[in-house]
Amino acid sequence: MYYLCIENLEHKLEKFDIHKVRADFPILKREVNGKPLVYLDNGATTQKPKAVIDAITNYYSDMNSNVHRGVHYLSQISTDAFEVTRRKVQEFINAKEDFEVIITKGTTDSINLVASCYGKAFVHEGDEIIISAMEHHSNIVPWQMLCEEKGAVLRVISMNEKGELDLEAYKNLLSEKTKLVSVTYVSNSLGTINPIKEIIDLAHAKNVPVLVDAAQAIQHIKIDVQELDVDFLAFSGHKMYAPTGVGVLYGKKDLLNAMPPYQGGGDMIKDVTFEKTTYNELPFKFEAGTPNIEAGICLAAAIDYINELGIDNIKAYEDELLEYATTKIKEIPGVKIIGEAAKKSSVLSFVVDGVHPYDIGVILDKLGIAVRTGHHCAQPVMDQFCIPGTVRASLAVYNTKEDIDTFIAGLTRALNMLV
């Protein structure tokens, strides 16, 4: 049994009991192909604790109604619950104001919102946008589209063979032409934890705002947007134990107020005539139409769950697991880890000489072990390492060293069949 000490929890828990944590996730009790499920695809999406599942059931059983536009009882309680989530997110990331929290469909939607709205207001021909060489496609393509539309130029921060960004190269990219920097906090394909505070400070020295893609960080690392002084932060609910279809864009109020709306429709308006429309105030200016109410409300339950365990305790436990898994996999001949940055989080990507990642993934699945194979929506990363893709095992709070042992045994068996 594995325990970590926990301090300063509201419920004063004395132990972080991984077996109790696992009992909170019903899906972990099931079998796949007659084998106990070992779920190591958490970078794609996390499983949901019973508290979140119960919150979904409770929403549809007790309060299902549209939000923000009704005077009747169900609409009022649904609206109240939806706005509770906004305030919980505000507290979770330490935003200064609750209206700086925009509820979106997810990280991709949040990034596209900034690309569209900030781009429309502030990016012109000849301007430059900086991203990094390790970005997910959702933090590449929207900026390419913006640059094509505006005649702007996309600049890319290079990285070394360990999967670490070259900060000297980044400093040289920053100029009076730079209008925005958009980088990932944690690489989904490599696990690299980027020096986000330093990246932000260097950009701010040139009066350049920064967007941080926190999709792979929010569930692992404590994030304080005021301490980081980040201008925009994007993340998804489904990677932090909440339902799919909901996410967050945090933005500083001055920037959000200066940006035009993303979409037109209900809720984002104050007055509408056929001659002119006056837009609503924050945050509603960027929340057109009926949101994913169920997922928005249930995001609060996921935040409560993370807070109960303690994000620092989650990180410490997952760091221990990653170190254990890394040590074990290095003992297998022919395996090469892709991404060996000094600071990593919960991702172990690797290749095996002469073996396609897909074949490994298929055999592991037959053994009840879920991993992800392919380019992980990060094709430029794969191109830099001259590989078609990797096998990626990504960890979450409910994984155990027994999971890792089962995975290593399964991988060894797969390689004995394939090599």
Side-chain angles (χ1 to χ4, degrees):
M1 297 174 69
Y2 307 106
Y3 296 98
L4 289 178
C5 292
I6 249 175
E7 296 179 356
N8 300 322
L9 276 183
E10 180 181 352
H11 299 290
K12 305 298 183 184
L13 298 177
E14 294 182 358
K15 292 179 179 179
F16 180 83
D17 186 339
I18 185 58
H19 298 286
K20 181 180 182 299
V21 170
R22 285 180 63 82
D24 291 336
F25 293 83
I27 200 169
L28 299 181
K29 298 179 178 67
R30 72 159 297 161
E31 293 185 348
V32 173
N33 295 318
K35 305 288 185 180
L37 171 64
V38 173
Y39 187 78
L40 299 174
D41 193 22
N42 297 287
T45 196
T46 52
Q47 299 301 338
K48 316 309 171 193
K50 192 172 185 300
V52 171
I53 296 169
D54 288 347
I56 295 171
T57 302
N58 180 66
Y59 168 73
Y60 285 115
S61 299
D62 293 342
M63 66 175 75
N64 180 40
S65 179
N66 214 326
V67 293
H68 298 144
R69 293 191 277 275
V71 297
H72 62 82
Y73 176 74
L74 291 182
S75 181
Q76 290 294 317
I77 62 172
S78 292
T79 298
D80 289 347
F82 194 82
E83 292 304 317
V84 163
T85 293
R86 197 186 309 276
R87 291 190 292 275
K88 283 185 182 288
V89 172
Q90 176 196 1
E91 182 178 356
F92 190 63
I93 63 174
N94 193 32
K96 187 174 182 180
E97 307 286 355
D98 63 352
F99 56 75
E100 294 177 316
V101 174
I102 312 299
I103 305 299
T104 67
K105 294 184 294 184
T107 306
T108 299
D109 190 37
S110 296
I111 295 172
N112 275 273
L113 190 161
V114 177
S116 175
C117 303
Y118 180 87
K120 187 179 294 184
F122 297 106
V123 179
H124 305 95
E125 185 175 356
D127 289 339
E128 297 180 355
I129 306 290
I130 296 176
I131 62 173
S132 86
M134 64 177 66
E135 299 305 320
H136 188 282
H137 294 167
S138 62
N139 202 28
I140 299 174
V141 180
W143 306 114
Q144 288 178 328
M145 295 170 68
L146 174 64
C147 288
E148 288 172 2
E149 176 187 348
K150 294 284 191 171
V153 178
L154 191 66
R155 301 295 188 191
V156 181
I157 309 166
S158 59
M159 67 176 174
N160 63 25
E161 67 282 355
K162 291 184 177 181
E164 298 168 326
L165 294 183
D166 184 340
L167 291 188
E168 287 303 314
Y170 169 57
K171 292 175 188 177
N172 292 331
L173 290 176
L174 287 165
S175 74
E176 69 280 355
K177 294 182 179 180
T178 309
K179 294 302 179 184
L180 187 81
V181 174
S182 188
V183 292
T184 186
Y185 200 140
V186 174
S187 166
N188 77 302
S189 58
L190 304 171
T192 304
I193 302 175
N194 285 320
I196 286 298
K197 179 59 176 169
E198 186 175 356
I199 289 170
I200 292 169
D201 289 347
L202 288 168
H204 285 179
K206 300 280 189 180
N207 296 314
V208 176
V210 178
L211 182 152
V212 170
D213 173 356
Q216 299 291 337
I218 193 69
Q219 68 278 47
H220 304 298
I221 300 169
K222 182 175 178 60
I223 294 178
D224 184 326
V225 294
Q226 292 191 70
E227 182 180 339
L228 289 174
D229 196 25
V230 66
D231 302 282
F232 300 104
L233 186 87
F235 59 90
S236 299
H238 75 99
K239 296 182 190 292
M240 55 184 294
Y241 313 107
T244 55
V246 68
V248 168
L249 173 66
Y250 159 81
K252 290 181 178 177
K253 65 178 180 180
D254 289 346
L255 281 168
L256 293 175
N257 278 323
M259 290 158 48
Y262 183 37
Q263 297 174 318
D267 231 23
M268 54 75 65
I269 54 85
K270 186 172 290 182
D271 294 296
V272 175
T273 69
F274 286 117
E275 288 72 34
K276 182 174 176 59
T277 293
T278 304
Y279 303 131
N280 208 341
E281 61 190 12
L282 295 175
F284 308 111
K285 181 173 94 170
F286 294 105
E287 294 181 359
T290 298
N292 187 339
I293 302 167
E294 164 237 304
I297 290 173
C298 296
L299 175 58
I303 291 173
D304 286 343
Y305 187 80
I306 292 172
N307 285 337
E308 182 180 0
L309 296 179
I311 189 69
D312 291 335
N313 301 290
I314 291 172
K315 181 181 186 303
Y317 177 72
E318 291 174 342
D319 286 350
E320 179 185 332
L321 282 184
L322 181 61
E323 182 180 0
Y324 182 79
T326 302
T327 299
K328 289 291 185 181
I329 205 166
K330 284 183 174 180
E331 296 172 356
I332 303 177
V335 173
K336 179 182 179 182
I337 295 174
I338 303 297
E340 295 191 88
K343 293 184 178 180
K344 289 184 60 175
S345 176
S346 296
V347 169
L348 185 60
S349 286
F350 62 92
V351 294
V352 180
D353 291 340
V355 181
H356 198 283
Y358 177 84
D359 296 333
I360 296 173
V362 169
I363 294 176
L364 289 176
D365 176 62
K366 298 298 182 184
L367 300 173
I369 304 164
V371 297
R372 189 150 294 256
T373 65
H375 54 65
H376 317 298
C377 294
Q379 284 181 290
V381 173
M382 305 303 138
D383 290 343
Q384 175 159 340
F385 287 96
C386 301
I387 54 177
T390 68
V391 180
R392 184 187 71 183
S394 49
L395 305 169
V397 68
Y398 42 69
N399 289 127
T400 65
K401 290 183 178 178
E402 288 89 350
D403 285 343
I404 303 302
D405 291 340
T406 301
F407 162 64
I408 294 297
L411 176 60
T412 302
R413 182 175 175 184
L415 297 183
N416 286 339
M417 298 170 63
L418 294 168
V419 176

